Amino acid sequence: FEVTFWSQIYPRYLFSVPGKIFVLGTLAVIIALAAVGCAQAEINIDNDWTIVDFGPYRYVYNGRRYQDDHFSTGSTTWVGLYTKRADYYAHRDDMRNLIDSYANQHFVETNSLETNWFDAHQAWLDDKNHTVSSSEEYIESLQLYLASDGLTYSEKVLIDDDGIYATEIDSQWEYKDPKGSTLKRRMRKSRAKVRRNSGGLGTIIVYNDAFVWYESFQVIARTTIFALLVASIVVFIVLILLIGDLVASIMVSSLVALVCASTLGAAYWYNDAINYITSFMIIIAVGLSADAPAHMMKAFLDQRHPTRHERAVKAIATLAPAVFRGGVSTMLGIAITGACITYVFQSFFRYLMTILVLALWNGLAVMPVLCTLIGPMPTHRLHL
């Protein structure tokens, strides 16, 4: 039955007009879903993804839930504004402008900046009717203030023999706001804001512990793109060498690119995000998705029949059974991971199954149909 199915039944329905319309229509839908998913997918990771509500691991899960339900920090988070060594007397106007411009961001709680060492020291000088006329006098007055009424700020301003070399101003950022900005976007916006308004203060640092994750997101984006480009180039060169036809290699590479884009877009459709795990799956999709369409294309090129249709039918009869068994056996091998409850294994299952299903679909349906429509000349004619 298997021989009859792949050599007669399957090609008859696949290469019929309705069959081609179905395959090409499905291809268009996949392209659309991939495009939407790629446009909407974000780089992110949630700590909740790493904990599970199961057996001995439930303790951590329940602890996390209890903290969120009863002792959550609310809708704000702490962010520090750090300055480095500078002449804070000569550049006091720059410091004033920096604080005002920073506080003027819609996600910064303005009242959280009302108590900072710079304004508190100036208020103390005004209250004492003390006038400062030089940088040295400014440092002396600040040291006196920090040792008396400003003791609460003594750890926020660090002074050595050469003057002030580091300061910290605490602020609170909103988690949620009407404009829907994410903390990652706010981080970039705030850094750009203080960079433009630093004046003579030099480098200004805006920091929150969560920013460590967001910096890693940028590394993920760069390394994923680099690795994807390198893998794609290598695969394309291998296709050129093994298939020996430029048009055929481009056709296979196009389907490989589609699977990679679909894997990336799947992060959006799975309500997931691009992170260390999903980016790895996107990269390995380059190699996993090339086999099936490449084998079918090679079988198509090796046929000596006069028409594209006949060569495609013969290619299916020759290699489709092996391609199908190889793909299905791999799926069965990873199917057990679908029963796992941890995020890592669930991601492995979802994305690898997506890659394998699309690779099989491209190899057994899309590539044969494309070969009947725009397939290249057979290999043996190139040597005539």
Side-chain angles (χ1 to χ4, degrees), residues 334-379:
I334 66 166
I336 188 64
T337 59
C340 297
I341 59 175
T342 59
Y343 172 74
V344 174
F345 286 103
Q346 287 179 348
S347 298
F348 184 82
F349 172 76
R350 287 197 301 261
Y351 291 101
L352 199 52
M353 287 297 288
T354 299
I355 295 169
L356 293 174
V357 169
L358 290 176
L360 270 184
W361 171 255
N362 288 339
L364 297 177
V366 177
M367 183 56 74
V369 169
L370 291 179
C371 284
T372 63
L373 300 175
I374 57 173
M377 299 293 291
T379 303

Side-chain angles (χ1 to χ4, degrees), residues 1 7 69 89 165 186 240 316:
F1 174 77
S7 63
D69 292 342
Y89 173 74
Y165 67 89
R186 295 172 189 174
I240 288 287
I316 289 177

